[in-house]
Amino acid sequence: MKNNKTKKTIQHVLMALFSMIMIYPLAWMVSSSLKESSQVFVDAYSLIPEELHFENYIVGWQGFAGITFGKFFINSTIISVVATVGSIASSTIIAYGFARIKFAGKRIWFVCMMATMMLPFEMVMIPQYIMFNKFGWIDTYLPLILPTFFGIPFFIFLIMQFIRTIPRELDEAAKIDGCNSFDIFIRVIVPLVVPAMMTSAIFSFYWRWDDFMGPLIYLSTPEKYPVSLALKLFSDPNSVTNWGAMFAMSTLSILPIFIIFFIFQRYIVEGISSSGMKA
Amino acid sequence: MLPEKDDLNKVQQTQPPTRHTKQKKAGGSPSGKPLKTGNNNVAGYLFISPFLIGFLGLTLFPILYSLYLSFTDFDLMGTPHWIGLDNYVRMFTNDPMYWKAMKVTFFYAGIAVPFRLVFALLVALALNKVVEMVGLYRTLLYLPSVVGGSIAVSIMWRQLFGNDGAVNSILSMLGFPTHSWLGDPDTAIWTLILLYGWQFGSSMLIFLAGLRNIPKTYYEASSVDGAGPIRQFFIITLPLLTPVILFNTIMQVIQGFMAFTPSFVVTNGGPVNSTLLYVLYMYRRAFEYFDMGYASAMAWVMLVIIAIFTALIFKSSEHWVHYESDSK
């Protein structure tokens, strides 16, 4: 009995120690954001600022080139929210089509969808850029937002898996009551797949918020930059002098992700465990 | 205990066929043309139409267009003009930078991917043993991956390994010599590998879910037979986890080969191109030199390499992946 207890304690000590090492870099970023700029790299390992310099946040918020981080946060929010709404609405509709309706050629299109899921974005990046350039969409949000309205294979797959767990008898019953496919989708399926839609929405928001390559390629006017791109510019190693402010804005930039993570943790963990989504 | 389980299996095995036949009978031929739930092509295509448009316009066409571009010389301004295999020839025979990028990428993916997977598996095994506060540990260990994709983390990593960053600061506090991690071509790539490994969270969660699915009775039975934990790991855990390992490996290999942001932000390809990942070089060719034809050819070579790797992993999986259903 006693042996068991010591074993447990050792287990917890090791686990806690390990977790701490893993969290250290993040803690370091947050603590550096509160240090005075000249102190950031003195005793750099230290996680405890000598004094709390909250003004780093105020100074950092001023941004650069006369554009505050407020503007960048608004830009990121617009892109992320619109793209998320688009990708979830379209993915749910498509998932229903694949999961519940029989039609000619379904297998082939399903295989195409799964193949797209494995296809890295980098493969279509260049031709898409050339296309959007021809359309005159460079330096607008269209290339960042519009493609999400055609469904995201990962989400389609995830929602499909979820729809498969809903008994078909429900569809049948609705059909007998005179519902067509569209009614069944809206009244029966959608209310029941909300959890899967939530999981997808959270991931979609993460990916859009963190997206760096898209804005890097498509946007050229600093006023239109999302936080990710602005932060990269702000942190250019040749120009940064105010390290405290840089870390402050870095911390702020991941704050929305943290908040969403802590609110919706359950959905995220379940979503990954069941689907193997990357994060 | 055992006979009971057998009975259960029998029930499970026999049930689906009966249900199936019943359905067939119900929907079948009693009145010639039955209630047969036939194809509903209009509704089907209507529902998947967003996917169809996106797939044809934003995936299939661009891919084919990129194949065409790879045989052309195109700087975005004029019209592409056909140069045949020149891009590919130049790539393989006359561009040392290309080979450098290829070498760096293979080194990176070859080490970072197994590193992340093994690490994720070990942590998942440890977490699976802990009974209390699993939720808390899981959350803490998953956090780096939650924020991992963000640019802030890459920037932070750059400062962490900078000359007067926290890593050197800790080393000197402990009495070790400091090192210019990002300035030394031999160590710079390792900081990126470490960054990749640090974000082991989602692989870990997938492994953890896989571990939870292994029936406890297997372990009980084998310990009656006198198997220790290490033997149990190799005869029960690992084989039953192979489908999850296969899935994780394929996803990670694709991700590993396509990494961009870390090399772009942390090291910008340097020093002396020691961290010039393939996609970073492709990005430079396309968007700094506007060498769209060449960059497209690069993309195609990468796609072929990834396809070969994926195919090899799938092919080999016949030998090492065990599915529970065919083990009995």
Side-chain angles (χ1 to χ4, degrees):
Chain A
M1 236 1 193
K2 208 172 188 184
N3 196 8
N4 209 357
K5 215 172 186 179
T6 33
K7 210 176 139 194
K8 247 185 195 165
T9 315
I10 293 171
Q11 217 173 46
H12 279 295
V13 169
L14 286 178
M15 221 53 216
L17 202 70
F18 180 66
S19 307
M20 232 111 95
I21 294 170
M22 290 295 119
I23 290 300
Y24 175 82
L26 291 174
W28 184 73
M29 173 165 71
V30 176
S31 98
S32 296
S33 78
L34 294 169
K35 289 177 180 174
E36 197 197 313
S37 278
S38 60
Q39 284 293 310
V40 168
F41 294 116
V42 179
D43 292 336
Y45 62 86
S46 163
L47 291 183
I48 303 145
E50 275 175 18
E51 302 162 287
L52 296 179
H53 287 266
F54 286 105
E55 73 270 14
N56 285 337
Y57 284 82
I58 296 162
V59 174
W61 192 259
Q62 311 292 319
F64 54 89
I67 311 157
T68 67
F69 263 86
K71 179 76 181 146
F72 301 133
F73 271 91
I74 290 171
N75 293 342
S76 272
T77 308
I78 292 172
I79 297 171
S80 306
V81 170
V82 178
T84 296
V85 170
S87 57
I88 303 314
S90 56
S91 298
T92 311
I93 292 169
I94 298 163
Y96 174 70
F98 275 127
R100 280 292 210 258
I101 300 173
K102 269 188 177 174
F103 55 91
K106 178 160 129 175
R107 260 191 83 84
I108 298 161
W109 295 122
F110 184 69
V111 170
C112 288
M113 206 258 313
M114 295 304 283
T116 311
M117 191 156 86
M118 310 268 280
L119 188 85
F121 165 73
E122 284 85 347
M123 264 313 289
V124 292
M125 165 179 91
I126 291 164
Q128 275 191 8
Y129 178 85
I130 295 169
M131 278 167 58
F132 293 146
N133 185 36
K134 278 221 175 84
F135 301 161
W137 289 358
I138 302 301
D139 206 26
T140 72
Y141 291 159
L142 280 173
L144 303 176
I145 289 175
L146 199 86
T148 63
F149 280 74
F150 300 108
I152 307 292
F154 251 127
F155 303 153
I156 299 173
F157 184 67
L158 181 84
I159 297 169
M160 265 184 77
Q161 296 296 83
F162 202 87
I163 291 178
R164 285 196 176 133
T165 65
I166 300 171
R168 267 181 190 272
E169 282 76 11
L170 282 180
D171 297 34
E172 302 297 327
K175 204 177 257 172
I176 290 163
D177 287 347
C179 285
N180 59 31
S181 315
F182 187 75
D183 296 327
I184 295 174
F185 172 67
I186 293 291
R187 298 190 190 174
V188 180
I189 301 293
V190 170
L192 291 172
V193 294
V194 166
M197 289 166 76
M198 289 268 285
T199 306
S200 308
I202 293 160
F203 278 104
S204 168
F205 184 85
Y206 279 3
W207 295 348
R208 295 305 137 200
W209 188 268
D210 285 342
D211 185 21
F212 176 67
M213 207 179 205
L216 177 71
I217 293 171
Y218 288 114
L219 300 178
S220 50
T221 317
E223 277 111 65
K224 294 176 184 163
Y225 282 3
V227 177
S228 58
L229 200 51
L231 201 59
K232 166 75 174 77
L233 224 67
F234 191 57
S235 76
D236 193 341
N238 305 320
S239 61
V240 182
T241 42
N242 195 338
W243 292 104
M246 202 274 298
F247 280 113
M249 288 307 105
S250 294
T251 305
L252 273 194
S253 82
I254 58 173
L255 201 61
I257 293 176
F258 266 119
I259 293 172
I260 291 178
F261 177 68
F262 281 109
I263 298 176
F264 297 106
Q265 233 198 90
R266 195 167 57 88
Y267 290 103
I268 298 165
V269 171
E270 273 170 20
I272 293 176
S273 306
S274 61
S275 73
M277 251 191 299
K278 55 182 177 173
Chain B
M1 202 47 205
L2 270 173
E4 251 178 51
K5 206 185 150 205
D6 272 354
D7 281 348
L8 252 169
N9 276 346
K10 258 180 215 158
V11 172
Q12 273 172 350
Q13 267 169 11
T14 45
Q15 223 169 19
T18 44
R19 237 211 255 147
H20 207 70
T21 42
K22 241 188 221 164
Q23 262 178 357
K24 258 195 184 158
K25 263 180 197 160
S29 46
S31 59
K33 278 222 159 176
L35 281 148
K36 188 184 147 204
T37 43
N39 283 0
N40 192 347
N41 290 339
V42 178
Y45 277 91
L46 214 60
F47 274 103
I48 70 158
S49 61
F51 166 74
L52 282 183
I53 299 165
F55 176 72
L56 297 176
L58 294 170
T59 306
L60 193 62
F61 171 71
I63 287 250
L64 296 175
Y65 186 43
S66 139
L67 183 62
Y68 160 71
L69 283 175
S70 76
F71 298 112
T72 68
D73 191 355
F74 184 42
D75 64 357
L76 209 61
M77 303 306 281
T79 45
H81 98 270
W82 189 268
I83 53 166
L85 286 170
D86 276 13
N87 284 327
Y88 293 94
V89 173
R90 177 160 65 123
M91 192 184 297
F92 290 124
T93 60
N94 201 15
D95 186 358
M97 196 81 109
Y98 178 82
W99 284 109
K100 179 77 190 169
M102 188 76 107
K103 236 177 84 187
V104 170
T105 307
F106 266 88
F107 182 79
Y108 174 79
I111 293 178
V113 171
F115 175 55
R116 182 193 270 189
L117 289 176
V118 170
F119 199 49
L121 180 58
L122 289 178
V123 177
L125 286 169
L127 267 185
N128 201 36
K129 285 265 183 291
V130 180
V131 187
E132 294 143 23
M133 306 209 295
V134 192
L136 176 70
Y137 293 134
R138 196 181 54 195
T139 304
L140 286 177
L141 295 174
Y142 181 55
L143 262 187
S145 308
V146 173
V147 297
S150 67
I151 212 76
V153 166
S154 291
I155 292 169
M156 177 257 298
W157 211 255
R158 193 175 71 202
Q159 309 311 332
L160 205 60
F161 283 91
N163 282 342
D164 41 12
V167 171
N168 273 344
S169 164
I170 290 172
L171 285 177
S172 68
M173 184 184 71
L174 298 174
F176 290 105
T178 61
H179 186 80
S180 171
W181 303 102
L182 299 174
D184 179 346
D186 289 332
T187 53
I189 190 76
W190 288 98
T191 63
L192 300 189
I193 290 170
L194 211 59
L195 175 57
Y196 190 83
W198 182 57
Q199 292 155 18
F200 62 92
S202 46
S203 302
M204 173 196 76
L205 289 181
I206 299 168
F207 280 136
L208 200 56
L211 289 173
R212 294 273 151 85
N213 280 336
I214 299 175
K216 283 239 161 48
T217 49
Y218 289 9
Y219 293 103
E220 284 157 14
S222 76
S223 52
V224 170
D225 292 345
I230 292 171
R231 198 169 146 66
Q232 281 182 339
F233 174 75
F234 284 105
I235 59 167
I236 300 171
T237 314
L238 211 53
L240 288 177
L241 219 52
T242 45
V244 184
I245 294 174
L246 172 71
F247 177 83
N248 261 345
T249 308
I250 289 176
M251 294 323 277
Q252 297 300 334
V253 165
I254 296 176
Q255 251 188 288
F257 272 118
M258 286 298 157
F260 167 76
T261 314
S263 69
F264 185 77
V265 177
V266 180
T267 54
N268 199 17
V272 283
N273 297 319
S274 60
T275 59
L276 184 71
L277 290 182
Y278 198 90
V279 177
L280 177 59
Y281 185 50
M282 192 172 113
Y283 166 83
R284 285 189 182 164
R285 275 282 155 204
F287 299 104
E288 284 173 19
Y289 306 111
F290 296 104
D291 203 350
M292 294 294 177
Y294 193 79
S296 300
M298 280 187 72
W300 266 90
V301 173
M302 198 29 58
L303 185 69
V304 170
I305 291 175
I306 288 182
I308 291 172
F309 262 94
T310 313
L312 283 179
I313 295 170
F314 264 119
K315 198 97 195 114
S316 76
S317 73
E318 289 162 14
H319 303 290
W320 59 270
V321 172
H322 300 260
Y323 291 101
E324 245 184 298
S325 50
D326 53 42
S327 67
K328 271 192 182 174

